[in-house]
Amino acid sequence: MSNMFERFRNKWHQSIKGFVTILASEIAVPIDVQAHYAKTIQTHNAVSVGASGNSNSSYIDCDGFDKVAFTVLNDAATNSSVETHWSNDGINAHGAETLIVQSTSPNKVGISDIKARYVRVQLKNADTVAHTMSAWVYLKA
Amino acid sequence: MTFKNPPEVNGIMQLNEQQILAIQTELQQIEDAFVPTEEQPVCDIQYLTATYNKQNVGNEINGDTMIYCRAYGLEPEV
């Protein structure tokens, strides 16, 4: 009984006097961020985008991610651009923006903050013949 | 706006066996003739499909169909 009392008194004294024991394992050591979680999704697998046409991907769930990057391959150096469509339900588009403006570069890249729960990629072919295009998105947390 | 079908979007096109075998033969010819370059070091899906499509304007395929045609008739790996 006296042992219990001793322990309680010591504990009480420690808290009163501000004595705190910090073990090494309890210390939050500042460290560099070793890695970010990222996820790669191919939205277009070498699809044939018609002359002056476009091709939409399916909606991708961005929940838990901060940014999304895009890369696009065109089979030739012809005019094309990329739009992103943002949605809160994964069905209807509630916001659209031109992420990559029209250019003849066959390899395009862009990045955006997450603006809604779901996003889809629209590849736009501005040439007078069809082109084969691939696209990927990279979700970053 | 109507929904698009393959090859304008992902997915496998509806083809008969004759069409699949014709595509398969042409894909094999493209692969055999491939020479690696600095810009195109490997014969990947984009290259195979794009080269096939350039040779078959009006009868394009997409990457999913290309993979299906290449694997058509092959024994599944155990």
Side-chain angles (χ1 to χ4, degrees):
Chain A
M1 191 67 187
S2 67
N3 275 348
M4 274 183 68
F5 177 76
E6 285 279 328
R7 282 210 298 272
F8 175 77
R9 192 184 63 182
N10 289 342
K11 200 91 179 163
W12 186 74
H13 280 176
Q14 280 179 2
S15 63
I16 291 295
K17 293 175 182 174
F19 293 151
V20 179
T21 304
I22 299 176
L23 301 173
S25 61
E26 294 170 341
I27 300 169
V29 181
I31 55 166
D32 291 333
V33 174
Q34 299 295 314
H36 288 283
Y37 181 58
K39 190 176 181 183
T40 302
I41 300 166
Q42 184 168 24
T43 61
H44 293 79
N45 184 16
V47 300
S48 177
V49 186
S52 303
N54 59 55
S55 175
N56 289 327
S57 72
S58 304
Y59 276 104
I60 294 162
D61 193 344
C62 301
D63 192 26
F65 294 93
D66 295 329
K67 285 181 180 290
V68 56
F70 306 83
T71 56
V72 178
L73 282 181
N74 189 2
D75 69 350
T78 55
N79 273 314
S80 60
S81 60
V82 180
E83 272 190 16
T84 48
H85 298 168
W86 298 94
S87 169
N88 61 38
D89 57 10
I91 300 166
N92 299 301
H94 299 108
E97 62 179 344
T98 301
L99 181 80
I100 303 172
V101 295
Q102 187 172 302
S103 76
T104 56
S105 168
N107 310 327
K108 295 178 168 60
V109 65
I111 192 165
S112 169
D113 287 327
I114 299 294
K115 295 169 180 173
R117 169 97 186 236
Y118 300 93
V119 66
R120 76 177 176 190
V121 183
Q122 184 183 69
L123 305 182
K124 297 170 86 82
N125 176 18
D127 200 17
T128 52
V129 295
H131 283 286
T132 307
M133 299 187 193
S134 292
W136 292 260
V137 303
Y138 310 89
L139 293 162
K140 298 162 188 291
Chain B
M1 187 186 287
T2 55
F3 286 108
K4 289 186 168 62
N5 293 314
E8 291 189 276
V9 290
N10 287 342
I12 298 169
M13 297 162 65
Q14 287 192 329
L15 301 165
N16 60 37
E17 188 169 16
Q18 196 178 358
Q19 290 171 313
I20 293 169
L21 293 174
I23 293 168
Q24 195 178 53
T25 304
E26 198 163 339
L27 290 170
Q28 190 60 51
Q29 289 168 354
I30 294 167
E31 195 173 347
D32 292 343
F34 175 74
V35 178
T37 61
E38 196 172 349
E39 282 186 357
Q40 188 67 49
V42 291
C43 187
D44 59 8
I45 295 170
Q46 170 75 12
Y47 175 83
L48 265 176
T49 312
T51 308
Y52 177 90
N53 287 346
K54 283 174 187 171
Q55 295 173 4
N56 294 273
V57 176
N59 294 305
E60 289 90 353
I61 59 172
N62 62 9
D64 291 343
T65 305
M66 190 281 289
I67 293 166
Y68 177 77
C69 290
R70 278 193 73 198
Y72 186 80
L74 298 176
E75 291 290 325
E77 288 184 22
V78 179

